[in-house]
Amino acid sequence: MTEETKTVLTGGCQCGAVRFALSGLPAKISICHCRMCQKASGAPFASFADIEHADFAWTRGKPAAFQSSSIAVRDFCRDCGTPLSFRRIDGPRIEIMTGTFDRPDQIIPTRQYGTESRLGWVVGIANLPSQTTLQNYGPEKANGIVSHQHPDHE
């Protein structure tokens, strides 16, 4: 990504120490249920936006890296621990975790991988009883929460 390219999407870690920008749209957006992605994300699945290296740049800070297998490296913020990416060693693309985008609602998965490890209850999530944060905590507690998270913009 060069100075002249137009930024299409941005994002970063929870504390703001690491930020990124894209100059092109992701080639694909997917969910992975494999056990390695479950462990790396600390969640029942991980969701990634697959981006060409030429369309991607770290714009603030540099993530730490962990080689999670013989073929891949995972980047994360060394300060707050936010998982940021999955990338194949010497591969042409980087896969950014969709929850780290400033507008994750614009990053919609279109396929799933690693379904042999998909947890049986995942398919029924949308049907579970739900509440907003305000409903869960009540107005008094919810209004008293002070976030130390970086805002979803610069």
Side-chain angles (χ1 to χ4, degrees):
M1 199 164 117
T2 65
E3 291 289 323
E4 301 100 39
T5 56
K6 184 177 182 201
T7 298
V8 176
L9 295 166
T10 57
C13 68
Q14 190 171 17
C15 74
V18 179
R19 298 282 296 160
F20 61 82
L22 279 63
S23 62
L25 294 174
K28 70 178 176 184
I29 301 162
S30 62
I31 290 171
C32 185
H33 297 275
C34 83
R35 188 65 184 129
M36 195 174 292
C37 282
Q38 290 172 349
K39 295 278 279 192
S41 66
F45 55 84
S47 182
F48 297 100
D50 197 341
I51 303 146
E52 295 291 330
H53 281 298
D55 294 335
F56 178 84
W58 298 111
T59 58
R60 180 186 306 142
K62 199 77 163 157
F66 171 67
Q67 186 170 343
S68 59
S69 71
S70 60
I71 64 164
V73 173
R74 292 172 189 269
D75 297 308
F76 62 95
C77 176
R78 73 179 77 248
D79 294 341
C80 66
T82 300
L84 295 164
S85 75
F86 168 90
R87 54 189 165 88
R88 293 187 189 274
I89 298 169
D90 299 325
R93 292 179 301 280
I94 185 167
E95 296 184 46
I96 298 296
M97 297 197 73
T98 61
T100 64
F101 282 88
D102 292 338
R103 292 291 312 271
D105 59 313
Q106 296 178 346
I107 313 296
I108 302 165
T110 58
R111 60 192 76 187
Q112 299 181 69
Y113 298 105
T115 55
E116 71 283 353
S117 298
R118 183 173 50 213
L119 302 175
W121 55 264
V122 168
V123 294
I125 289 175
N127 297 320
L128 293 175
S130 62
Q131 294 181 322
T132 65
T133 304
L134 183 61
Q135 290 169 328
N136 186 37
Y137 285 106
E140 196 171 298
K141 281 187 182 176
N143 292 332
I145 297 171
V146 178
S147 175
H148 299 286
Q149 182 168 296
H150 185 274
D152 286 337
H153 58 79
E154 282 305 318

